[in-house]
Amino acid sequence: MEVGNAARAGAQYVNVNGPSSYTTSGNSCATPPTNTFTCAIKSATSLGTNVTVSVGNAYCGCQSGTAYTTETFSPPCNVCNTIYTSNCCPAGQTPVTLAQVNASYTYTPIFSYLGFGPSNGFNLTAQATALLY
């Protein structure tokens, strides 16, 4: 649950602040904060610097009412017209730009039960999708 919260916090941060607003370099939350992406994730979970969050490359999709189609072309995402004739959404569909936010955390139990489970912990992962524009 905490790993999922980290992924959703990262997606929300990118959604609100834009695709060029995040950086995963440095895990400090100094005062004043120097990396607000990291600070947003730390404040959304109690995992602190032990959680790793990354943002994948942006990709395009086409939205029509409640139907959504993932496309194979890269941004910029446009509607097909006389200027954009390929790698675009058909007329009547709204182009959207998205990015996958991935979070991971290695959980190491305090006690092992009769030697069961990996000695180096369990890798927990979660994903969330950020709407960029």
Side-chain angles (χ1 to χ4, degrees):
M1 189 155 139
E2 290 288 317
V3 179
N5 288 343
R8 286 186 292 279
Q12 182 178 8
Y13 184 88
V14 172
N15 181 299
V16 170
N17 296 290
S20 62
S21 65
Y22 62 88
T23 176
T24 54
S25 63
N27 281 330
S28 66
C29 260
T31 305
T34 56
N35 186 342
T36 53
F37 179 73
T38 299
C39 294
I41 293 162
K42 282 183 168 184
S43 66
T45 177
S46 62
L47 301 176
T49 59
N50 297 323
V51 65
T52 303
V53 179
S54 63
V55 182
N57 293 330
Y59 60 94
C60 291
C62 298
Q63 180 77 36
S64 176
T66 58
Y68 169 79
T69 306
T70 301
E71 300 297 336
T72 58
F73 54 90
S74 297
C77 309
N78 298 298
V79 174
C80 295
N81 55 31
T82 56
I83 298 170
Y84 303 106
T85 58
S86 63
N87 294 334
C88 50
C89 294
Q93 294 188 9
T94 304
V96 292
T97 305
L98 305 145
Q100 187 76 31
V101 178
N102 304 298
S104 64
Y105 174 77
T106 301
Y107 171 72
T108 306
I110 297 171
F111 302 104
S112 64
Y113 182 69
L114 300 173
F116 291 105
S119 60
N120 57 348
F122 298 91
N123 191 29
L124 307 174
T125 61
Q127 295 81 34
T129 302
L131 175 64
L132 302 180
Y133 46 85

